[in-house]
Every structure is written in structure tokens, then in C-alpha cells.
Amino acid sequence: MDDIILISNLNDFIFCPVSIYFHGLYGGADVLTFQTKSQLNGTKAHESVDMGKYSTRKDIVTGLDVYSDKYRLVGRIDMYDSRKKMLVERKKHVSRIYDGYIFQLYGQYYSMIDMGYAVDSLRIHSIDDNKNYNIDLPENDKDMKNRFEQLISDMRAFDMDKFVQENSQKCANCIYEDACDRSASRGD
Ligand code: SF4
């Protein structure tokens, strides 16, 4: 797999590594362009610190492109409150906190830190029911931090040719099932 990892792919990889391929295929060329641009110029994300889009409140930054030098991750944050030093990811509806949500937030967190921002707290916000879920910083949750780092190494070591999806439940719920030749339910 390519060296730089898209933060949004952390969650997809947990669901199924093959889904990243389909996501890129059907998800639009902007993902590839975004990745290539960041690879060509590692300072790109740093530049956008100064060019971040601001909401009407000056202390709220939204949709900022971010890059982690340490983990070689690129992505985009949803919202950063510079007054509270809080990074927030809003989702339409959150029924439970999946590990993938947390790892995405970690990816954004480390990118913000690498870019010079101060981040003291992390939060996932469920829009439909207006609920907030506070997430510990990775430094305060060693187990999750280790799993985050393991996920990144697994992604870098991943070999698509050797992969077989054995969880047919995942394939049954996957939107790419019809097009996928790795589906565990192929031939049923
Ligand atoms: S159909 Fe199965 S193997 Fe293919 S992308 Fe979906 S979950 Fe993965």
C-alpha cells in the first residue's frame, strides 16, 4: 500500500481492506489527487494552517486539511475549537463508538499536533440526537494508542493479493459485494 495513508481509510481498513480499493474507485478522483498533492509537497498541509477556513466564530476552524509527519497521514478535520483546544468530529448519527471512529480522531489529533496546534480534548458529536462522546487523548489510553499504531503498520504491510475475507457477514452488508471478487459469499 502507498506510504501516505488517508485518515478516512483507517476506518475502512478495519471494516475490510478491499473496501478501500472500491472506495477510491467509486469515491471520486479527488481522493487520489489529494493524496498525490500531499506526497509531492509535504508542506502543503502546513500552508493550510494559515489558510484554514473559519466559521463566523473566529475561534472555530472547520474543514482544515491536515498532515502528520510522524505517522505520514493526510486528511481533513471536521471542527477545531481553538478557545477550548478541542477537536470535534460531527457525525449524522452515532449509535455506538466504533474503534474506527476513535482512530480517525487520533489521526486528526496527531496531524494537528504535528502542525503546531494545541489539542487538549477530543469529542465525537452525534448530530441527530445532539449527544457528545468525549474520547480520551491517545496519551491517556495506551492500549488504544498501541492499537492505532498497529493498525497503521498493518495497513503499510498489507498485501491485497494474499487477502481473503473470511467474514461473510461483512460481505453481506457491503455495498461493493456485487463487484468484489474477494467476497466471502462469492459462489453462494
Ligand atoms: S464484499 Fe467483502 S471482501 Fe469485498 S470489499 Fe466488501 S467486505 Fe470486503
Side-chain angles (χ1 to χ4, degrees), residues 15-16 165-178 180 182-186 188:
F15 173 70
C16 173
Q165 175 56 271
E166 281 164 356
N167 185 339
S168 57
Q169 201 61 37
K170 284 191 174 180
C171 297
N173 291 313
C174 177
I175 55 170
Y176 306 121
E177 210 275 332
D178 279 348
C180 182
R182 310 297 160 112
S183 168
S185 45
R186 248 341 53 168
D188 288 358

Side-chain angles (χ1 to χ4, degrees), residues 61-122:
V61 182
T62 58
L64 179 71
D65 291 342
V66 293
Y67 174 70
S68 167
D69 249 342
K70 181 177 176 194
Y71 291 107
R72 300 190 306 285
L73 298 171
V74 291
R76 184 168 294 156
I77 64 150
D78 181 28
M79 197 171 98
Y80 172 68
D81 184 328
S82 63
R83 194 169 48 87
K84 294 181 183 163
K85 299 187 175 58
M86 181 193 288
L87 190 56
V88 182
E89 173 74 16
R90 292 166 298 182
K91 293 190 179 290
K92 182 158 176 7
H93 184 78
V94 177
S95 50
R96 58 168 283 198
I97 301 294
Y98 292 98
D99 288 350
Y101 293 176
I102 296 174
F103 296 146
Q104 279 185 312
L105 211 44
Y106 282 6
Q108 296 172 8
Y109 164 77
Y110 282 116
S111 300
M112 292 290 278
I113 297 291
D114 283 0
M115 290 166 66
Y117 285 91
V119 182
D120 289 346
S121 59
L122 306 175

Side-chain angles (χ1 to χ4, degrees), residues 6-16 89 91 96-108 124 135 144 147-148 151 155:
L6 280 176
I7 292 171
S8 58
N9 281 350
L10 298 172
N11 194 30
D12 292 342
F13 190 88
I14 292 174
F15 173 70
C16 173
E89 173 74 16
K91 293 190 179 290
R96 58 168 283 198
I97 301 294
Y98 292 98
D99 288 350
Y101 293 176
I102 296 174
F103 296 146
Q104 279 185 312
L105 211 44
Y106 282 6
Q108 296 172 8
I124 291 171
I135 307 296
M144 282 302 272
R147 289 173 57 201
F148 168 75
L151 172 63
M155 288 177 80

